[in-house]
Amino acid sequence: MVAIGASAAGLEALQAFWGNMPSETGKAFLIIRHVAPKGMSMPGDILLKHTRMKILDVQDGMRTESGHIHLNPPGNAVSANRSFCRLIGTSPEETL
C-alpha cells in the first residue's frame, strides 16, 4: 500500500501525480486528505480524469485492493495496515 497525504489545497498536486502514474502498478493507494466533516470533499470523479484506476471511498474495516485508489471520507482520518483500513473520527478541534 502506498499512502499519500494531501492538504485541502492539494488537488492540483494530486491531479499532476495521477496524470503521470501508470494505471498498472500492482499497488493499492490510500489518499488521506484534510477535509472538515462538513467541508467540501475532493470527489473521486475529478481524479478519474487523470487515471484509469478505480476510486473507492474508504469504509471502516474495508480491505484495500491493488490497482485502486482509496479516499478517506470528510471528517475521518484513516488507520491502515498492509491490507485493511479503519476509520477514525476526528473532533471539531482537529479539523481546524
Side-chain angles (χ1 to χ4, degrees), residues 37-51:
K38 295 183 181 180
M40 192 170 129
S41 69
M42 179 183 62
D45 59 334
I46 292 174
L47 287 181
L48 280 174
K49 296 175 185 175
H50 302 277
T51 184

Side-chain angles (χ1 to χ4, degrees), residues 6-15 42:
S7 69
L11 179 58
E12 188 174 321
L14 288 171
Q15 289 173 321
M42 179 183 62

Side-chain angles (χ1 to χ4, degrees), residues 22-36:
S23 297
E24 312 242 349
T25 64
K27 303 287 183 192
F29 291 87
L30 174 61
I31 300 177
I32 308 294
R33 304 158 298 141
H34 178 262
V35 182

Side-chain angles (χ1 to χ4, degrees), residues 40-85:
M40 192 170 129
S41 69
M42 179 183 62
D45 59 334
I46 292 174
L47 287 181
L48 280 174
K49 296 175 185 175
H50 302 277
T51 184
R52 292 190 324 214
M53 289 186 194
K54 187 171 181 181
I55 299 175
L56 305 170
D57 289 322
V58 171
Q59 297 179 16
D60 192 43
M62 81 180 296
R63 184 176 192 90
T64 58
E65 299 180 50
S66 63
H68 291 66
I69 300 169
H70 304 78
L71 301 174
N72 68 306
N76 286 271
V78 176
S79 171
N81 66 20
R82 291 183 179 189
S83 57
F84 288 95
C85 292

